[in-house]
Amino acid sequence: MLRNALEPWHLILIVAVLVLVFGSKKLPDMARGLGRSARILKAEAKALKDERPTEAAAPTQQPTGH
């Protein structure tokens, strides 16, 4: 049922609706903002991934209470 869910004519229809709703002047600004958000998300995910192995390599010592 969902095998051909996103065909080329679907994308054309989505772009046409976006142009009608937001106007052609707002679309480049929206795409630029979406690109910036994607870059920030990618950088944060990479930083989080790079941070985790260093935390696992240096285990914290628990107080023994003696």
Side-chain angles (χ1 to χ4, degrees):
M1 182 172 143
L2 294 174
R3 186 176 302 169
N4 294 330
L6 196 60
E7 294 181 7
W9 70 271
H10 289 122
L11 295 175
I12 293 170
L13 184 64
I14 291 170
V15 169
V17 169
L18 287 174
V19 168
L20 288 174
V21 171
F22 294 109
S24 61
K25 292 183 179 183
K26 292 278 184 181
L27 286 178
D29 292 335
M30 289 173 51
R32 211 172 291 120
L34 184 62
R36 285 184 191 136
S37 299
R39 279 193 298 271
I40 291 170
L41 180 63
K42 184 178 176 182
E44 292 296 325
K46 184 179 180 202
L48 183 62
K49 183 180 174 185
D50 291 343
E51 184 177 296
R52 282 202 175 152
T54 58
E55 289 177 358
T60 58
Q61 293 181 346
Q62 297 292 329
T64 58
H66 293 287

